[in-house]
Amino acid sequence: IKRLHLLLTVKESAMDVPTNLDARRRISFFANSLFMDMPSAPKVRHMLPFSVLTPYYKEDVLFSSQALEDQNEDGVSILFYLQKSIQKYFLFLGFLVDEWKHFLQRVDCNTEEELRETEQLEDELRLWASYRGQTLTRTVRGMMYYRQALVLQAFLDMARDEDLREGFRAADLLNDESPLLTQCKAIADMKFTYVVSCQQYGIQKRSGDHRAQDILRLMTTYPSLRVAYIDEVEEPSKDRNKKIEKVYYSALVKAAVTKPDDPGQKLDQDIYRIKLPGNAMLGEGKPENQNHAIIFTRGEGLQTIDMNQEHYMEETLKMRNLLQEFLKKHDGVRYPSILGVREHIFTGSVSSLAWFMSNQETSFVTIGQRVLANPLRVRFHYGHPDIFDRLFHLTRGGVSKASKIINLSEDIFAGFNSTLREGNVTHHEYMQVGKGRDVGLNQISLFEAKIANGNGEQTLSRDVYRLGHRFDFFRMLSCYYTTIGFYFSTMMTVWTVYVFLYGRLYLVLSGLDEALATGKRFIHNEPLQVALASQSFVQLGFLMALPMMMEIGLERGFRTALSDFVLMQLQLASVFFTFSLGTKTHYYGTTLLHGGAEYRATGRGFVVFHAKFAENYRLYSRSHFVKGIELLILLIVYEIFGQSYRGAIAYIFITFSMWFMVVTWLFAPFLFNPSGFEWQKIVDDWTDWNKWISNRGGIGVPPEKSWESWWEKEQEPIKYSGKRGIVLEIVLALRFFIYQYGLVYHLNITKHTKSVLVYCLSWVVIFVILLVMKVIPSIHIFTVSVGRRKFSADFQLVFRLIKGLIFITFISIIIILIAIPHMTVQDIFVCILAFMPTGWGLLLVAQAIKPVIVRIGLWGSIKALARGYEIIMGLLLFTPIAFLAWFPFVSEFQTRMLFNQAFSRGLQISRILGGHKKDRATRNKE
């Protein structure tokens, strides 16, 4: 009633509402959170002490001046982008274009040139940009708000009336004149510890890396900050056979107090140095980085914060309340062992992909976590800013497991570990922490590949097995669906499409489909067609957006949720989610089949760039393109042999969702690629593709430089797979041979015979084609190697005559087949559709039994065949893209689709690029 009275009686002036949308969001959430159910906060001296731990490897600490000025291929630097764009990657949604002007006003400068004249102001510029990127500086600043909040709250706890009348100012924290402030700082330092585990800090410091200087600067700026690292030193060996041995220490340092008269004084000071039995980095990097530094944390609570997160001052004021949850029994039985809190995804403004991913992640970290914790009781730890009961986990295996490969998704194993040991994982809505996400399509795909690999390893782990045996029936089902079950169901969905198409193909080729379609019982099947049409629309990825709609509706109203949903569909959200379906399926299935999960670095840099065609091909060839072409061939064959007795409407209803999935899997990477249909970039991509596909591999040649190196790397999972995986790979490849068997008996020249000799003859034709493909490259290699030394012109002439003769022979054979056995054009097309997948099946079998193929000397032929297939697939993908790039309106449409939010707020990417180039030209002229 009081709140309703307040809403009805208080009038807000438009002048009092912040123009900054992020400021509005933070104020509204903080105000609403005060009405949520949270424990009462004790005094600071009575609160539970806690620590924050952040693992750091080699990411950006602070943007350098050079990094801010470096330009991408479109001539846009990070600083220029931050200055000009309204919608910014790595920025909160809604920063206004005049924020740059506000910054210049704060530093009393009128222009950027005036700003750069002073070194101190140059540092302010670097900080301004770094606070808007996913940098360690941003994370440290956010976490150190905890100390500032505790000092303020301790001041309010202990201040007398005259102290309150004088007031508390943030500037007072910088001096030690007030005994009360000194006491407040001491209490805050007793209750809060922040440790950043900079794994490579020692190496960076010795090598003179600028990141070590930036880390030291952070320690100087925040004197209570502690940095842990693994120090590798050489010491005299106690072994007589060795003079020197490497010794590893886990070290903790802080900023040293420098003296003006001692220029050689060490800038950082060791606090602890613990000798290790060996190198601590034995398993996965991030969990090992946490495990070696956890001994330096203090208190009863431990918050794990990733490098791409930040915090807000107003949210840190509620930390005392949150820690009180450790003293409350949840469900009336257990004290919590992990306190979960919600996140705000602050990325997602530069493009439609960023928006999709941000909304999807927001629904997962809010409404998803809420339901997992209550009523399902199966919430674990998902890498969020959860707070661990430090003493509970230190005595039960730590906050993350680090075994190589199996613990790739190390975060969730902390939740498994806690739940198996009778811990309780909760979720609380009244505090939130900022988090950044990858928003370029390639970065998103790498992230989802890593998560799918991790879920594949979870499926094989003992932890999930033990959970399944100890949960009751309902928690077991909930745990299954919310962990590995989601990925298994996704994989089954895609498998169902394969089974459906191969099943329909069997019905068509065997004649059963015609009998069923023309039978009297099945003539009036309109209800069945309506049902098929409805399920097609369900499969388009609309339901993937349902949790997003619910979350947006709860947070901002259902009218906003509906409008956002419609806008997402207009920006092809269904294409994005259908494409993600293929990513999850491929990497989860590959891990189950062969193992070999690996960490995939996605990067947190400036991602508004054009990905080259060869890069997209390397990333999506096996996961999407090959599967999409296979489904495309099945759909075409299904249409060819079923059109005589089936109506077009029925075919559309049955296969519409599958055609949508095929087109999405083949062309989504180019559709969501900035400047993907710009003609000049298409020309450059084709040149780069030709160079990559023709380069020879070898030792030391990376996959990015040579097709051979990439092809060999793609086969590594099979190399380490067991016998079951190899056998299953061969069994799956047999589907291409069965498919060929069905087609060869439907040719016009074989329709009157069902003899097995027809199938055998088809294999003879295949081997002849493979032999020709083998002979031509061999002749070419012989000509190049020998002909360069002597008779070069004669050999080239002979080579061209042989190629011409083979071409004439091929044309003659086709003419003879058309003239004598009356082979039709459709027969030729069907032969191509039959033999191309068969050759791919032979490749898969050869790769599975590579040692045997190498032993008999045919691996070079297999490599040549594989290269031919890659060239054909590349041409199939590149041709429609190049055709569309001829039309300028296609590029305009793509830009509008990718950057629609930016357009709606007045940002035009082309004007940014054009304006920047114009500015550069003007400066050069001057």
Side-chain angles (χ1 to χ4, degrees), residues 391-518:
L391 300 180
F392 178 94
H393 286 86
L394 276 180
T395 56
R396 291 168 177 82
V399 297
S400 60
K401 290 188 176 181
S403 297
K404 203 73 173 177
I405 298 178
I406 192 70
N407 295 134
L408 180 67
S409 299
E410 81 287 340
D411 297 316
I412 196 170
F413 283 95
F416 291 161
N417 199 25
S418 177
T419 304
L420 285 170
R421 286 153 180 79
E422 299 187 357
N424 187 18
V425 185
T426 63
H427 180 69
H428 305 280
E429 294 282 332
Y430 52 80
M431 177 186 277
Q432 71 176 5
V433 178
K435 189 176 183 70
R437 279 297 184 195
D438 306 299
V439 294
L441 182 63
N442 291 359
Q443 287 76 22
I444 292 173
S445 297
L446 287 172
F447 171 76
E448 291 187 337
K450 179 178 68 174
I451 299 301
N453 282 153
N455 274 271
E457 296 295 346
Q458 291 171 39
T459 308
L460 309 175
S461 68
R462 295 189 183 97
D463 299 76
V464 171
Y465 173 82
R466 290 167 180 160
L467 284 171
H469 275 267
R470 285 159 177 77
F471 275 153
D472 59 68
F473 180 74
F474 297 102
R475 286 185 78 188
M476 180 176 64
L477 292 182
S478 300
C479 175
Y480 166 76
Y481 180 73
T482 55
T483 51
I484 61 175
F486 172 75
Y487 285 85
F488 188 80
S489 301
T490 301
M491 184 175 66
M492 291 300 297
T493 302
V494 176
W495 281 6
T496 302
V497 175
Y498 275 86
V499 173
F500 176 81
L501 278 179
Y502 274 102
R504 298 293 297 197
L505 193 64
Y506 166 77
L507 293 176
V508 168
L509 298 180
S510 64
L512 289 174
D513 190 60
E514 182 177 5
L516 293 174
T518 57

Side-chain angles (χ1 to χ4, degrees), residues 613-614 616-623 625-626 629 686 689-690 692-694 706-708 710-712 714-715 773 836 840 843-844 847 862-878:
F613 178 81
N616 282 332
Y617 188 86
R618 287 191 296 269
L619 187 56
Y620 304 115
S621 173
R622 298 301 182 261
S623 60
F625 297 157
V626 170
I629 291 175
W686 179 248
W689 155 263
N690 278 325
W692 175 75
I693 201 73
S694 59
S706 168
W707 169 83
E708 289 186 11
W710 170 80
W711 188 63
E712 294 286 351
E714 287 293 313
Q715 300 170 43
M773 292 182 63
M836 291 296 290
W840 185 258
L843 272 177
L844 295 180
Q847 292 172 12
I862 295 298
K863 185 183 296 185
L865 179 63
R867 191 193 299 269
Y869 269 93
E870 304 288 357
I871 293 173
I872 292 173
M873 285 194 293
L875 288 172
L876 287 176
L877 293 169
F878 196 84

Side-chain angles (χ1 to χ4, degrees), residues 173-439:
L173 294 174
L174 301 178
N175 62 70
D176 298 325
E177 297 178 1
S178 170
L180 178 59
L181 285 177
T182 303
Q183 189 176 0
C184 292
K185 292 179 184 179
I187 293 176
D189 289 333
M190 290 173 59
K191 297 297 182 180
F192 169 67
T193 304
Y194 186 26
V195 178
V196 180
S197 183
C198 301
Q199 174 186 333
Q200 300 285 317
Y201 176 67
I203 298 174
Q204 292 170 347
K205 185 169 57 172
R206 286 192 292 270
S207 63
D209 195 320
H210 68 90
R211 284 170 289 201
Q213 296 296 324
D214 294 335
I215 293 172
L216 182 61
R217 173 176 177 163
L218 285 176
M219 288 191 285
T220 306
T221 305
Y222 305 101
S224 58
L225 174 65
R226 301 293 180 259
V227 171
Y229 68 97
I230 297 177
D231 196 13
E232 178 182 333
V233 297
E234 292 184 348
E235 295 183 353
S237 176
K238 297 179 181 179
D239 189 353
R240 294 181 179 179
N241 298 324
K242 297 180 180 179
K243 293 183 178 180
I244 297 176
E245 64 177 354
K246 287 186 178 180
V247 181
Y248 297 89
Y249 291 92
S250 185
L252 184 71
V253 297
K254 67 177 181 180
V257 179
T258 59
K259 299 178 181 179
D261 56 348
D262 188 7
Q265 186 182 11
K266 189 178 179 182
L267 298 179
D268 55 13
Q269 176 182 345
D270 287 355
I271 304 174
Y272 299 107
R273 179 172 287 266
I274 302 171
K275 188 174 182 179
L276 302 175
N279 190 358
M281 309 308 295
L282 299 177
E284 297 294 341
K286 177 184 172 183
E288 294 287 27
N289 200 5
Q290 287 180 321
N291 290 337
H292 95 90
I294 195 172
I295 55 174
F296 300 126
T297 57
R298 296 289 180 267
E300 299 181 36
L302 175 62
Q303 187 174 30
T304 53
I305 293 292
D306 288 340
M307 229 282 308
N308 59 342
Q309 297 185 240
E310 72 157 353
H311 219 332
Y312 313 116
M313 179 62 188
E314 69 276 6
E315 296 302 311
T316 59
L317 297 172
K318 294 176 282 190
M319 190 61 178
R320 294 182 301 169
N321 308 77
L322 183 62
L323 290 172
Q324 287 300 105
E325 300 282 356
F326 280 127
L327 305 179
K328 290 173 53 180
K329 283 188 177 181
H330 289 259
D331 310 329
V333 180
R334 297 172 183 165
Y335 294 100
S337 56
I338 300 178
L339 301 178
V341 296
R342 60 178 281 164
E343 291 176 320
H344 166 66
I345 310 302
F346 57 76
T347 55
S349 305
V350 73
S351 67
S352 57
L353 287 181
W355 192 37
F356 303 154
M357 193 65 180
S358 177
N359 285 335
Q360 183 187 40
E361 192 71 16
T362 298
S363 65
F364 175 70
V365 300
T366 51
I367 192 172
Q369 301 298 309
R370 189 184 314 152
V371 173
L372 292 180
N374 185 20
L376 298 183
R377 309 297 183 195
V378 291
R379 185 187 186 275
F380 300 113
H381 174 57
Y382 300 93
H384 301 301
D386 294 350
I387 302 174
F388 291 82
D389 184 334
R390 181 173 169 273
L391 300 180
F392 178 94
H393 286 86
L394 276 180
T395 56
R396 291 168 177 82
V399 297
S400 60
K401 290 188 176 181
S403 297
K404 203 73 173 177
I405 298 178
I406 192 70
N407 295 134
L408 180 67
S409 299
E410 81 287 340
D411 297 316
I412 196 170
F413 283 95
F416 291 161
N417 199 25
S418 177
T419 304
L420 285 170
R421 286 153 180 79
E422 299 187 357
N424 187 18
V425 185
T426 63
H427 180 69
H428 305 280
E429 294 282 332
Y430 52 80
M431 177 186 277
Q432 71 176 5
V433 178
K435 189 176 183 70
R437 279 297 184 195
D438 306 299
V439 294

Side-chain angles (χ1 to χ4, degrees), residues 606-669:
F606 189 60
V607 299
V608 185
F609 63 88
H610 171 80
K612 293 185 178 298
F613 178 81
E615 180 182 348
N616 282 332
Y617 188 86
R618 287 191 296 269
L619 187 56
Y620 304 115
S621 173
R622 298 301 182 261
S623 60
H624 293 84
F625 297 157
V626 170
K627 296 179 174 61
I629 291 175
E630 180 184 354
L631 294 177
L632 176 66
I633 292 175
L634 292 176
L635 287 169
I636 292 174
V637 173
Y638 178 46
E639 166 63 14
I640 290 175
F641 293 103
Q643 63 181 351
S644 60
Y645 56 85
R646 183 192 57 242
I649 301 299
Y651 176 79
I652 293 174
F653 280 161
I654 293 173
T655 62
F656 174 72
S657 62
M658 299 171 195
W659 276 106
F660 180 82
M661 188 171 74
V662 166
V663 174
T664 296
W665 284 10
L666 292 179
F667 298 107

